């Protein structure tokens, strides 16, 4: 039996403005185990991306707790939360979020350099080779296809060997075949590295590739997976 890596306990999130209070998440409660692949699905506006931000400690819940690798995220200071995130979490976004003034290699080296890793260049080169981009190390994002940019983003996320990979609509900007390739790569890397994969998507076929599917409707979990 794997150990619990993420525990989301009775999480609520609401925002208030001049028009009143909007409840985004209502009493979200589930556990994720090490090495698990989990899809969080729901219609646009159901609260999926907000939940992912809270799991990452980027957004703060109105109520409830999130525990990552045994640490209560919201009992930590913002700096301590950022340090834990850098150590334990990798991110992949729909919009790739690569730095345009850095090459593919430099983009992947960046988190290693921030962690003062002396082998940053070697580790980044090996990771780019693993995602099939050994011929594109010196290329800037603007000359890479969408699929290549997403593979650079995957390499950057996995190079730090995170305990958890959070992916927000990672194939949303890609055509079907390229999206399939990227999904296959994420699942392969999950198996190879033992990383827990949490995938937010509205694509049911993509979600079905994961071991568990958690369905959210109007801010509530309707199927806990």
């Amino acid at each position: 039996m794997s150990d619990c890596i993420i525990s989301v306990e009775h999480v609520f999130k609401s925002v208030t403005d001049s028009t009143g209070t909007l409840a985004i998440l209502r009493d979200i409660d589930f556990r994720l185990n090490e090495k698990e692949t989990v899809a969080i699905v729901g219609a646009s506006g159901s609260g999926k991306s907000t939940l992912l931000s809270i799991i990452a400690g980027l957004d703060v819940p109105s109520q409830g707790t999130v525990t990552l690798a045994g640490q209560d995220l919201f009992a930590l200071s913002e700096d301590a939360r950022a340090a834990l995130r850098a150590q334990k979490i990798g991110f992949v976004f729909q919009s790739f979020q690569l730095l345009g003034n850095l090459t593919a290699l430099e983009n992947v080296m960046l988190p290693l350099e921030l962690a003062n890793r002396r082998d940053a260049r070697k580790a980044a080169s090996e990771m780019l080779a693993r995602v099939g981009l050994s011929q594109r190390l010196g290329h800037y994002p603007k000359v890479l296809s969408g699929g290549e940019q997403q593979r650079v983003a995957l390499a950057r996320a996995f190079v730090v060997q995170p305990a958890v990979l959070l992916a927000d609509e990672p194939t949303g900007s890609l055509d079907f075949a390229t999206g399939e390739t990227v999904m296959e790569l994420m699942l392969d890397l999950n198996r190879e590295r033992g990383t827990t994969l949490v995938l937010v998507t509205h694509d049911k076929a993509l979600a079905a590739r994961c071991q568990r599917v958690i369905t959210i409707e109007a801010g509530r979990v309707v199927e806990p997976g």
Side-chain angles (χ1 to χ4, degrees):
M1 169 88 181
S2 295
D3 292 326
C4 175
I5 183 80
I6 295 169
S7 176
V8 178
E9 297 174 46
H10 304 295
V11 162
F12 290 77
K13 177 69 179 181
S14 56
V15 292
T16 303
D17 63 15
S18 57
T19 61
T21 299
L22 173 67
I24 300 171
L25 298 173
R26 310 161 194 249
D27 202 15
I28 303 285
D29 201 84
F30 59 81
R31 314 279 175 278
L32 304 179
N33 290 327
E34 288 177 352
K35 305 180 183 178
E36 208 173 5
T37 57
V38 182
I40 298 174
V41 303
S44 201
S46 58
K48 306 184 302 294
S49 293
T50 300
L51 176 57
L52 203 69
S53 291
I54 288 173
I55 291 172
L58 291 167
D59 197 355
V60 180
S62 306
Q63 240 180 286
T65 58
V66 176
T67 306
L68 171 65
Q71 297 249 36
D72 180 345
L73 277 184
F74 302 105
L76 300 173
S77 69
E78 209 166 310
D79 286 350
R81 216 161 46 232
L84 183 64
R85 192 162 49 240
Q87 189 189 351
K88 298 285 185 188
I89 295 179
F91 291 96
V92 179
F93 302 93
Q94 178 176 345
S95 56
F96 318 132
Q97 303 273 354
L98 300 177
L99 295 174
N101 60 329
L102 300 182
T103 64
L105 180 62
E106 288 164 347
N107 265 285
V108 179
M109 284 172 64
L110 187 60
L112 297 171
E113 289 176 328
L114 291 173
N116 296 315
R117 284 266 300 269
R118 291 184 179 181
D119 64 339
R121 182 172 291 273
K122 179 174 181 285
S125 299
E126 287 171 357
M127 197 67 224
L128 282 163
R130 172 62 193 83
V131 300
L133 291 175
S134 54
Q135 304 303 310
R136 310 292 259 168
L137 304 188
H139 290 65
Y140 290 91
K142 67 182 179 189
V143 297
L144 299 175
S145 69
E148 287 172 334
Q149 288 186 59
Q150 194 58 297
R151 283 188 279 156
V152 173
L154 267 182
R156 181 182 60 187
F158 272 104
V159 78
V160 294
Q161 302 193 344
V164 179
L165 178 74
L166 302 177
D168 193 359
E169 299 283 8
T171 61
S173 301
L174 307 175
D175 63 66
F176 177 78
T178 309
E180 281 288 298
T181 304
V182 166
M183 187 65 196
E184 208 51 63
L185 197 49
M186 278 195 295
L187 293 171
D188 284 349
L189 289 167
N190 154 265
R191 285 189 289 268
E192 287 169 24
R193 313 255 162 167
T195 298
T196 301
L197 173 62
V198 184
L199 169 74
V200 159
T201 184
H202 63 271
D203 184 330
K204 295 279 174 72
L206 207 59
R209 308 279 296 278
C210 294
Q211 293 161 337
R212 275 172 71 195
V213 178
I214 294 171
T215 305
I216 295 184
E217 279 179 19
R220 292 182 189 276
V221 173
V222 292
E223 287 178 39

